[in-house]
Amino acid sequence: MSNRKLIESFHQWRQAGTPLALATVIHTAGSTYSKAGRQILIHTDGHYAGLVSGGCLEGDLVEHAREVLKTGTPGIVTYDMRTEADDLWGMGLGCSGMLKILLQRLSAGDNWQPFNDLAAVMAATDSSTTALVIASTLEQL
C-alpha cells in the first residue's frame, strides 16, 4: 500500500473520531516482507490499511491492537518465523525472518500523534526526515 492510500485511510478514519492503532515495524532479522519503518493503521472495527507481511500476520496483529486501543498502553509484538518447522503459524509464510512491531494508540485527545505529523511529512513535496524514538535513557519532562 502506498503512503498516499495510508494517509487517505487515516484522514477518513480520523473524521469519525474513533481511536486508531498505529503499527510500526521497528526491527527485522532475516527474510521478511517488510523492513523497519513500515506502518499500518488499524481501526477499532478490525479493518486495517497497509501490510507488514503477505497478509498472514495482520489478523493476529489486529488482536494485539485491540488491547492497545482499549488501554492506551503501547506494546511490542514479536513474530519470529526463523525455525524451519513453521509449526506456530503452519501456513507457509514465505519468509523466514523476525519482525518486531510497535503498537501505539492514536486518538483525538493526543491530536492523533505521532501519525498526524508523520502523515504531513509523507504528503509533503519537499525532502524531509522523521524519527520515531522507541527507547530512551532520558527522563520524561
Side-chain angles (χ1 to χ4, degrees):
M1 172 175 276
S2 70
N3 283 342
R4 184 176 60 82
K5 289 286 191 184
L6 192 64
I7 293 167
E8 287 173 4
S9 295
F10 171 65
H11 289 303
Q12 179 184 5
W13 292 343
R14 182 180 64 178
Q15 293 299 319
T18 305
L20 304 170
L22 173 63
T24 304
V25 177
I26 58 171
H27 181 73
T28 65
S31 174
T32 61
Y33 286 105
S34 297
K35 297 301 177 196
R38 173 72 58 92
Q39 296 177 312
I40 70 172
L41 291 170
I42 303 168
H43 193 278
T44 55
D45 66 7
H47 286 90
Y48 53 88
L51 293 172
V52 293
S53 73
C56 302
L57 303 178
E58 284 73 10
D60 186 68
L61 192 56
V62 166
E63 293 305 313
H64 289 281
R66 290 186 199 284
E67 184 65 20
V68 171
L69 287 164
K70 180 179 162 186
T71 66
T73 303
I76 294 176
V77 182
T78 301
Y79 297 101
D80 194 345
M81 292 83 58
R82 292 180 288 189
T83 65
E84 290 185 28
D86 197 37
D87 292 335
L88 177 62
W89 301 99
M91 58 183 86
L93 293 175
C95 63
S96 56
M98 182 273 303
L99 293 119
K100 278 192 178 184
I101 301 170
L102 172 66
L103 287 163
Q104 299 170 274
R105 185 176 191 260
L106 309 176
S107 67
D110 295 325
N111 194 30
W112 308 99
Q113 295 300 347
F115 196 76
N116 195 45
D117 286 349
L118 291 171
V121 169
M122 286 188 272
T125 57
D126 57 339
S127 179
S128 301
T129 301
T130 63
L132 177 62
V133 178
I134 57 170
S136 174
T137 58
L138 298 177
E139 291 184 34
Q140 189 174 18
L141 299 174

